[in-house]
Amino acid sequence: AIVYPEKLDLNQPTFTLTDFNIPFYYEKESPRDEIDINLKWGKNDDGNQKKITAFFEQLLMMIKTKVLLEGGDLDAVKIYWFYPSSMQKGKINRLRRTWNQLSKDILSANLATEPIAVSESIAPFYHYKDTTPNLTSSEKPVVSIDIGGGTTDIVVYQQNKPTLLSSF
């Protein structure tokens, strides 16, 4: 979600944190301005791209601040970002270009790796595999079901690798 003034002219130059902010109060109190949610599914136009860019910029500014406060190395930061498996390749590629450029601009031009795109449907298995010692698909397949806002994705894992993904 991103919040911006009701009368913001998206045809004029805009600025993150001045015109756009992540509304951390979203669904906790009444909105004071316009709020757009589901930016990834928004129109493929310049106005929505400005909102996506501002959202990513603020996230990356927060990541940069946290890394620096913890004494980390900005060049070594790894960014993983997730996309819906039902998203069209054109939208994924546009998001990828935005993540790549902003990561270089905000974090470091010398990032060790570009931001890594992972399907939202595949990511949970690897989290649970790393945090749950008994979860493995070495002997028997494991099925992960991701029930989203408009689609359901099913991923079958064998030998700890995805072998089938379906979205409906």
Side-chain angles (χ1 to χ4, degrees):
I2 198 85
V3 64
Y4 55 94
E6 187 176 338
K7 295 182 182 185
L8 181 66
D9 185 352
L10 295 173
N11 295 314
Q12 297 297 317
T14 57
F15 304 95
T16 301
L17 300 179
T18 301
D19 297 312
F20 297 105
N21 284 279
I22 296 174
F24 292 104
Y25 60 85
Y26 182 65
E27 293 188 342
K28 295 179 183 168
E29 59 184 70
S30 297
R32 298 177 286 273
D33 293 305
E34 293 294 315
I35 294 181
D36 274 359
I37 57 172
N38 286 330
L39 296 172
K40 63 187 174 191
W41 293 116
K43 293 179 183 176
N44 204 9
D45 62 18
D46 289 340
N48 194 60
Q49 184 60 33
K50 283 185 175 188
K51 295 172 192 173
I52 290 171
T53 298
F55 182 77
F56 289 177
E57 282 178 339
Q58 187 170 350
L59 287 177
L60 288 165
M61 286 180 211
M62 292 188 304
I63 291 167
K64 181 178 185 173
T65 301
K66 179 68 172 168
V67 169
L68 293 175
L69 286 172
E70 297 291 326
D73 178 3
L74 289 175
D75 292 343
V77 171
K78 275 189 178 180
I79 302 288
Y80 290 86
W81 63 277
F82 306 102
Y83 63 88
S85 62
S86 58
M87 184 174 271
Q88 295 175 334
K89 285 192 185 286
K91 277 196 174 211
I92 294 169
N93 288 334
R94 190 171 187 175
L95 291 172
R96 181 187 325 274
R97 285 190 303 272
T98 304
W99 272 117
N100 290 351
Q101 186 60 53
L102 292 175
S103 295
K104 289 177 186 172
D105 292 348
I106 295 170
L107 295 177
S108 171
N110 302 315
L111 278 178
T113 60
E114 288 187 339
I116 300 162
V118 180
S119 167
E120 289 175 353
S121 306
I122 291 176
F125 173 79
Y126 293 106
H127 166 74
Y128 288 114
K129 184 178 165 305
D130 290 344
T131 60
T132 309
N134 297 331
L135 178 63
T136 179
S137 63
S138 295
E139 294 177 26
K140 295 181 181 177
V142 170
V143 175
S144 173
I145 302 172
D146 174 23
I147 302 172
T151 61
T152 298
D153 297 342
I154 297 175
V155 185
V156 177
Y157 295 86
Q158 293 178 313
Q159 302 300 316
N160 294 324
K161 291 184 174 37
T163 58
L164 173 74
L165 183 139
S166 183
S167 182
F168 54 92

